[in-house]
Amino acid sequence: MKLVFYLCFYLVLTKENRIKKKVDILIDDILKSMSLAEKIGQTTQVDFIYLNDAQGKTQYNKIKEWNLGSLLVGGNGCPDDESNITSMGSCINANNSQWKKVADLALAQGISVIVNISEEKSTTVIIKPLLGTDAIRGNQHSVGEILFPHNIGLAASNNVENFKNSAKWMRDSVIESGFNFVFSPTVAVSHNPQWGRFYETLGENTDKVKYYSKAFVKEAQNIELETEHIHGVLTSVKHFIGDGATINGYEEGDSLVDQQFMDVFIQNNIKGYEGAIEELTGSIMVSYDAINGVAMSVHPFVNSILKASEREGGLGFEGFVISDYNSVIKTASFDLPRESQKIPLDKAYADSFNVGVDMQMISENVEDYQTLIEKLVNETDQNKPKIDIKRLDDAVRRILAIKNKMGLIEYNEVIVKKYNLQERKKLEIVKDKEQEYQDALQAALQSLVLLKNQLNTLPVNKNSIEHIILLGDRYIPIGNGQYKIFSDFDNIGAQNGGWTIRWQGYNGNDYWSGDLKKKSRASSILDAIKQRFQDTQIYYSKYSDPTNLDAILDDRNNFRNLLIANQDQFSQANTIVIHVLAENPYAEYMGDINCKYCQTKDKKGCLYNQKDNQYQTESQATRLEIKTGTYEKQLINNILKGLSRVITVLISGRPMLIEDPLTFSDAFIAAWLPGTTGGEAIVKSIFGEYGFGGTNNSFNKLPSPWISTLDSIKDYPKYDSATTPKIEDPRFNTGFGLETTSMNYSNLE
């Protein structure tokens, strides 16, 4: 019996190897038939916006003219009604149908290559472009879509199923929009919460990071194992390596590692890439950051760790490596905050290719880039920067191999027969918005972490509640010298954070109203409360003009008087305060805290710029702390004290110093950035419709330590010993999360 099994196994492997060998020959034949310009074009990924002419019309024919291998939607790009990509105005109509028109126009511009298949015969193949989009935890560039919690929340759920579900529904939405390449997952290990991308990290348990990475990549790419055809979307796992480990959490910063402990650094930050490669991710993106002053865009680790075979001590990655947005240009031009040495641009590009980066992501100046790469390939002076043609061929071969697996190389029957190509299966997307909603809601519910529950405040029996008071307003800049008040209990934008519709995200509900709200089923905390209580039971400030400070003060005074007038009706038995604190949405360096380069007079090395995020203050914050507003404090301490229980909800992308709100809160929930279903999830958990911890008490746990002081993360992390760096004396340890029971309301009624 064993003999039969091994014989069958051998035959399957032999068949697979034959298929691979034929495909490899085809890729080589295509490569031999390509011109140098076509090869260089395939290594080029450009922002769609650079295709625009002076009138803002997107010139899709440039894709073919420049032989582009890939395009991407920049963080702020969205289509208008004529499929022109713009970073101006609103993205309110940028739904999947609009994006599909863009994708169809781009895919129609594939380049034609005449392939010599014998001495007498030649035929044409068409190589289509990869279309890249940020899809961190859903198809976030598309309006009306359901969005899952960000990574840190998914990690807090401690449930790999939530990563699978997030990947699956993201995949199907991106495919529906016509795109095929996603810049996800981020597999960074959580280190310093001062980092503006902390919410993209996966916790400090590296075994779990690997597990989550494997699950996401497998579901997103949906690979048919026998043929290795990718039926989903191509994943680009990022950002290699140690992007979460920079000193003080600086974005585009430097990881400080004693050379003798480099293995400790690598082993603690490599697990996500190991998992992704085991599931055959087709692409990996290198980081903006540096290790000991050497930028990752030109770091030898790309070859020696990623691409080297397992026998050589590497991971044996066979896909292609892509740079981050203009990262080589930044490597050449900026020495801070990375603390790396500036180098000439030609040397930077040559070094980047030579260390193993295969595709360059650039925002503009395609002609200049391609001319420079051609010069580097043709360089004959051994003392000048050079890219060997064999290295360029290797890069293009890797890109073409992935495109072939994705069905992006179009053949005729002659090619199919000669190379014995396997027919691609046609898989239909099964739309099930109800299931998608339930999966996102489950993820949001399981992501919430209960940090305090004095005298078992939670769960609250909603049948005993007659009065709900909602607090939590922020009067913040909105650009052009204007300010506006946002109520965070009714702020779906804040629940989603950065990388939502556009790069930095949005406060408020502009993108979650009317039909868009119905389609996404998005809910704020106020929405969820209104589903359960009459309007007469719900108290909150209603602002007649949220941009007029005098009107705001009048409205607040009216609300204060309303509470005073009803004081005699309030009691701890029938009244709760839901007090919501929220960070502004932010992404990348606009979320960094306390960067020393932002505190100097010339601000050299400071990436923070208020123009990039209209909600942020002119100067970068220096303390990772959140406090209750003076107005809310007055209401809680002077009017409602002893008459209600206070439940504080923190909407944030990271642990913060919370001493101030924690002291007067009876219960405290860390909600992270729970996504479009976040409001419903928070309210369900407050009223015991969901019990913290879940049925087996394994969900709703901190994936990394919760800091107690800023000193504990000063000059952190440093890899300077044989043990991985740890935050000292946290307020709450990794794995902490209080549990509650769920309430069966059918038995209570």
Side-chain angles (χ1 to χ4, degrees), residues 426-703:
K426 292 185 178 179
L427 301 183
E428 296 294 325
I429 296 174
V430 179
K431 298 279 287 182
D432 188 342
K433 295 303 284 187
E434 177 60 29
Q435 188 59 55
E436 182 180 2
Y437 171 78
Q438 292 298 333
D439 288 344
L441 179 58
Q442 171 187 284
L445 283 165
Q446 294 176 355
S447 73
L448 310 174
V449 180
L450 184 59
L451 299 180
K452 182 179 181 180
N453 195 24
Q454 188 170 292
L455 300 177
N456 294 321
T457 296
L458 301 185
V460 174
N461 183 347
K462 66 185 175 189
N463 293 337
S464 68
I465 297 302
E466 298 174 18
H467 311 284
I468 296 179
I469 300 164
L470 299 173
L471 301 177
D473 298 330
R474 286 179 297 127
Y475 186 63
I476 58 173
I478 56 171
N480 299 320
Q482 291 186 299
Y483 282 72
K484 184 176 180 179
I485 198 159
F486 292 93
S487 298
D488 288 322
F489 51 80
D490 190 26
N491 191 342
I492 297 171
Q495 289 172 198
N496 284 284
W499 297 111
T500 302
I501 312 299
R502 279 180 163 151
W503 176 38
Q504 294 293 322
Y506 287 94
N507 272 306
N509 299 325
D510 289 350
Y511 288 94
W512 300 276
S513 59
D515 289 341
L516 292 178
K517 189 167 192 173
K518 289 177 185 175
K519 185 183 176 189
S520 65
R521 294 183 65 178
S523 63
S524 67
I525 292 171
L526 176 61
D527 291 328
I529 292 292
K530 285 184 173 182
Q531 290 292 317
R532 292 163 172 81
F533 295 90
Q534 299 295 318
D535 284 351
T536 54
Q537 298 175 285
I538 307 168
Y539 301 77
Y540 59 95
S541 293
K542 300 177 180 70
Y543 295 108
S544 54
D545 183 351
T547 61
N548 184 313
L549 184 57
D550 290 335
I552 289 167
L553 294 175
D554 286 343
D555 293 333
R556 283 186 161 188
N557 192 51
N558 292 336
F559 181 62
R560 184 185 294 108
N561 291 336
L562 175 66
L563 293 180
I564 292 171
N566 287 278
Q567 269 180 310
D568 60 340
Q569 299 180 42
F570 301 153
S571 73
Q572 290 200 352
N574 69 11
T575 305
I576 60 169
V577 172
I578 300 178
H579 164 235
V580 184
L581 295 167
E583 286 192 286
N584 273 315
Y586 55 79
E588 300 188 45
Y589 52 81
M590 288 308 295
D592 280 5
I593 300 288
N594 197 32
C595 174
K596 67 181 181 182
Y597 301 112
C598 297
Q599 296 163 24
T600 61
K601 189 173 182 179
D602 63 6
K603 289 188 166 43
K604 183 183 177 184
C606 177
L607 304 178
Y608 184 93
N609 187 335
Q610 190 184 23
K611 292 178 182 177
D612 289 335
N613 187 318
Q614 60 186 345
Y615 307 117
Q616 300 286 46
T617 54
E618 184 176 351
S619 298
Q620 185 190 71
T622 57
R623 287 181 62 81
L624 187 59
E625 183 175 23
I626 196 159
K627 291 184 176 183
T628 303
T630 303
Y631 168 68
E632 287 83 1
K633 229 178 233 184
Q634 288 175 347
L635 296 181
I636 291 169
N637 291 332
N638 299 340
I639 299 174
L640 300 170
K641 193 168 187 177
L643 301 178
S644 67
R645 289 165 287 171
V646 178
I647 301 157
T648 296
V649 178
L650 173 62
I651 296 171
S652 72
R654 51 194 164 193
M656 306 182 75
L657 296 180
I658 53 173
E659 292 304 309
D660 175 69
L662 201 62
T663 53
F664 60 76
S665 300
D666 297 291
F668 195 103
I669 299 169
W672 311 107
L673 301 171
T676 49
T677 64
E680 177 68 11
I682 290 164
V683 171
K684 283 177 83 75
S685 68
I686 287 173
F687 292 113
E689 296 167 35
Y690 169 81
F692 283 92
T695 54
N696 60 2
N697 292 331
S698 64
F699 310 137
N700 310 98
K701 306 299 179 187
L702 289 180

Side-chain angles (χ1 to χ4, degrees), residues 378-393:
N378 291 327
E379 183 59 65
T380 57
D381 188 337
Q382 295 301 311
N383 295 316
K384 291 183 177 180
K386 178 175 175 59
I387 300 171
D388 192 281
I389 188 63
K390 291 181 180 178
R391 171 65 195 104
L392 180 66
D393 284 351

Side-chain angles (χ1 to χ4, degrees), residues 74-86:
N76 292 324
C78 59
D80 65 16
D81 292 338
E82 296 178 349
S83 300
N84 301 305
I85 305 298
T86 177

Side-chain angles (χ1 to χ4, degrees), residues 134 136-137 140 197 199-200 497-500 502-503 587-588:
D134 294 295
I136 310 299
R137 45 49 165 128
Q140 74 236 11
R197 302 187 87 145
Y199 59 76
E200 296 183 51
W499 297 111
T500 302
R502 279 180 163 151
W503 176 38
E588 300 188 45

